[in-house]
Amino acid sequence: MSINILFELQHELRRLYIAGSGMAEGDLRLAKIVPQLEKLGESAPIFNRFAQAVNELITSERTDAASKLLELGTLLHSVLYTQGKTEGAGEVSPLVGTNIKADTSVPYRKIAPLIEALTQKGQGRLEQIQQAYNEGLFHDFRVISAAVTALDDSYAEIPEFLFHKVISQYGTDALPMLKQQFQLQGGKGHARRLQLIHNIEGETAIDLYLQAATIGSVEVRTAGIEILGEYPEQEQFLLDQAGDKKKEIRRAALNALSKLGSDKAQDCLFEALTSKDHELAAEPIRLCGSDNLIHRVIRHTEDVLDGVLAGTEKDEPEQRLISYMTSMEESSSNELFVLLQKILSVPAERTAELDRLQEVAVQMLLNLGHSEAYAFTAGLQQAYNRRFIGYSFRAAVYSLPPEEVYERYAPELHNKRTSAAKELLRTLGMITADITDQMSGNSSKETWDPRWVHLLIKLDEKELVTRFAFHSDAAVISYLTKQCAAHPNFQDYVTVDMLLALFKLSDDHVPEMVMDILERDKTSHFYYLNRAQTALLSQLPPVYADRLRQFAETIRYESVKQQVLDIADRAEVKQS
């Protein structure tokens, strides 16, 4: 028995339920259905009953229409109920459960913003997600699906945070959702899912990793290949992948082989380093950490370097040599030390083609960190027209007495406009702690010859003077005081540093100087207080608390005003 006509009739009755039974009289839509019902009634009498009921409805008076509509509706519902089907299509299979330990104790109104941040776009989502993590909201069962889905987020910092901080802590609770969402042809998000599955299941899912490494998308293949680097029995498969046409696959295979570290793996890494893939192989060799492999690289590097000096090496040998050097960054062998000396002893007329290589070599030499390396690096002070004077100076600071360092390098600053002097001053700034760190105790105790600060005063290097103002000295205090008076600007970072240095030197006049600078600033356009400004105001004695509060009232931005008021409150606490 066909019931399609009955569904059509049901639709029309719903229309009348909404419009009102008074609209049923003479309804054209219902009238069109009657002939179809009568035709079907020839084989099934129930349809004749429906045709009769429809006729009674559309010909009834308004006073009787409601009861007629309800009678027809009841009859139609009874027939459809007996003819309907409730089971779904497909085969019946058991419901698979999980042992998820996460709960749902958090009210939904509290986790709803987190789920929205994980599933929608917009600014500020990372901060919202991090705050939710700190509040423990990710432990709620309802968040797991959204968190796994967000591994595909286009804002890279969000999936990275979820990968390292959130989903890794779910453990087996996240496994069902990871497997459900994982796609072999997916992108970076699916590569992350595969890695997380491996972190949870380990070798149990080895078939999945092989499948991913064989037929997955490029992103999924690389993830699968790198995972297989933890299983020695997959060595031959990884060796085969190292010759793949795709650069990304070769890189992943080399990374995986570096984890294996077998003889065949090392041979493959060395072959890649000496081929067009030298840049791909440098990092895996460094991570492999094999002394035998490094020994082979050193010998090969020496051969190529000899070829460069002899003029027989072509095709940009310097870039290849830099890749070789990068692969040896973790080594501290004596062979490497000898090689670095050789590179930094190349005749000056040949250095034009080895500029970048020598820069890499001198940095590696300094990083070796032993006395012989420091001595050789310090000896480069005047080599190559003082090109490496910055490295030389750092080596000397690490290895020589303070007075000897000063006597050797202070003359280089006779004319601070020279390139050597500029590099030396830049290095001084790099290896010394700024005054804010010194005041907060976050810097190591540095030992410098006291003559440096007076030389820097002579050179009018204000910021460096603040870094070398270690001891109370009348000349230093006088210089800093005059410079602050000449530049009374709380927004100038050098002036703030000089005032901090005066506090460090226990100058009695600096608190009043600071307040005078603040109170003379009529604009008060402070958007925020940086760490140096905050440290400076925090040095003020308790007697200045009230003046700080008065100054705070002139600040336009409420957040900065509150910062200053907090500093004033802490000043009073110090007094008590």
Side-chain angles (χ1 to χ4, degrees), residues 37-90:
L37 293 172
E38 292 175 342
K39 178 68 174 176
L40 291 171
E42 296 176 359
S43 56
I46 186 61
F47 286 100
N48 287 327
R49 179 71 185 89
F50 277 117
Q52 179 184 350
V54 172
N55 274 322
E56 291 176 357
L57 175 61
I58 61 179
T59 59
S60 64
E61 299 292 336
R62 282 181 175 267
T63 55
D64 298 329
S67 60
K68 297 295 183 182
L69 177 61
L70 288 174
E71 289 176 7
L72 176 57
T74 302
L75 175 63
L76 178 62
H77 176 75
S78 300
V79 172
L80 288 177
Y81 183 81
T82 59
Q83 297 298 314
K85 295 182 179 180
T86 57
E87 67 271 14

Side-chain angles (χ1 to χ4, degrees), residues 113-123 125 129 150 153 158:
L114 171 59
I115 294 176
E116 183 177 353
L118 291 168
T119 56
Q120 304 296 323
K121 302 296 181 183
Q123 295 181 346
R125 293 185 298 131
I129 290 170
D153 200 286
I158 288 178

Side-chain angles (χ1 to χ4, degrees), residues 12-164:
E12 298 303 332
L13 293 185
R14 284 175 180 169
R15 176 174 58 82
L16 291 176
Y17 286 147
I18 298 170
S21 60
M23 305 295 293
E25 185 179 2
D27 189 274
L28 296 178
R29 294 185 182 179
L30 286 175
K32 288 181 179 180
I33 296 177
V34 173
Q36 300 177 57
L37 293 172
E38 292 175 342
K39 178 68 174 176
L40 291 171
E42 296 176 359
S43 56
I46 186 61
F47 286 100
N48 287 327
R49 179 71 185 89
F50 277 117
Q52 179 184 350
V54 172
N55 274 322
E56 291 176 357
L57 175 61
I58 61 179
T59 59
S60 64
E61 299 292 336
R62 282 181 175 267
T63 55
D64 298 329
S67 60
K68 297 295 183 182
L69 177 61
L70 288 174
E71 289 176 7
L72 176 57
T74 302
L75 175 63
L76 178 62
H77 176 75
S78 300
V79 172
L80 288 177
Y81 183 81
T82 59
Q83 297 298 314
K85 295 182 179 180
T86 57
E87 67 271 14
E91 297 181 0
V92 177
S93 59
L95 179 65
V96 179
T98 68
N99 294 320
I100 291 178
K101 301 174 183 177
D103 56 34
T104 56
S105 59
V106 180
Y108 185 76
R109 61 179 175 78
K110 191 170 184 180
I111 65 170
L114 171 59
I115 294 176
E116 183 177 353
L118 291 168
T119 56
Q120 304 296 323
K121 302 296 181 183
Q123 295 181 346
R125 293 185 298 131
L126 177 61
E127 292 74 14
Q128 190 175 354
I129 290 170
Q130 290 172 332
Q131 182 179 352
Y133 172 78
N134 294 331
E135 295 175 1
L137 298 184
F138 278 97
H139 293 296
D140 193 285
F141 170 76
R142 294 163 291 180
V143 181
I144 296 179
S145 176
V148 175
T149 301
L151 289 171
D152 294 315
D153 200 286
S154 57
Y155 183 47
E157 291 188 40
I158 288 178
E160 284 300 308
F161 179 81
L162 295 172
F163 179 88
H164 293 288

Side-chain angles (χ1 to χ4, degrees), residues 353-371:
E353 55 191 316
L354 298 173
D355 275 356
R356 291 183 298 138
L357 177 65
Q358 287 193 314
E359 195 76 29
V360 172
V362 72
Q363 181 63 65
M364 290 179 63
L365 190 63
L366 191 64
N367 292 342
L368 288 179
H370 55 69
S371 57

Side-chain angles (χ1 to χ4, degrees), residues 543-562:
V543 295
Y544 288 88
D546 288 339
R547 289 175 67 181
L548 269 178
R549 291 192 181 96
Q550 294 174 12
F551 166 71
E553 296 303 323
T554 68
I555 299 174
R556 296 185 179 182
Y557 293 94
E558 190 62 31
S559 60
V560 183
K561 175 181 177 180
Q562 191 57 52

Side-chain angles (χ1 to χ4, degrees), residues 332-334 337-338 341 365-366 368-379 395 399:
S332 58
S333 68
N334 188 62
F337 175 51
V338 173
Q341 286 179 302
L365 190 63
L366 191 64
L368 288 179
H370 55 69
S371 57
E372 289 182 301
Y374 285 148
F376 184 86
T377 309
S399 59

